[in-house]
Amino acid sequence: METRYFYIKDENKYGKRENGADYIFCDGKWILDHEHLISDRLIGYDPYEDDDSPYKIGNTSNMDQIIEISEKEIRKILKLN
């Protein structure tokens, strides 16, 4: 399965999606993304909107807070072998 890498701008963190799970790079290792930082931004989830609001999902401002980066880029940035 393909691994995708991300930079989360508003959190200044790096993440990856691998085998259906999301991870955040923290303290030199990949930890499970329990806060849903990646998935929330990919779908544009806005936690401040009411649950029945049509703007709860698809918020483009939130979607702009995550960018996909290459494996080569993340290896260079995080100094991974």
Side-chain angles (χ1 to χ4, degrees), residues 8 11 13 24 33-42 66:
I8 305 163
E11 297 282 336
K13 294 182 180 184
I24 301 297
D33 180 10
H34 291 291
E35 296 178 29
H36 310 286
L37 299 176
I38 295 171
S39 60
D40 284 357
R41 283 152 186 82
L42 289 175
I66 190 166

Side-chain angles (χ1 to χ4, degrees), residues 3-48:
T3 301
R4 297 171 61 196
Y5 297 94
F6 303 95
Y7 174 59
I8 305 163
K9 295 190 245 180
D10 59 323
E11 297 282 336
N12 193 31
K13 294 182 180 184
Y14 294 91
K16 71 177 179 177
R17 177 167 278 182
E18 184 175 67
N19 297 326
D22 295 332
Y23 301 88
I24 301 297
F25 194 78
C26 184
D27 296 327
K29 61 186 175 195
W30 294 105
I31 60 168
L32 202 55
D33 180 10
H34 291 291
E35 296 178 29
H36 310 286
L37 299 176
I38 295 171
S39 60
D40 284 357
R41 283 152 186 82
L42 289 175
I43 65 168
Y45 175 74
D46 188 344
Y48 302 106

Side-chain angles (χ1 to χ4, degrees), residues 54-65:
Y55 306 107
K56 186 91 174 163
I57 304 294
N59 181 305
T60 56
S61 294
N62 289 352
M63 294 167 83
D64 287 341
Q65 294 303 314

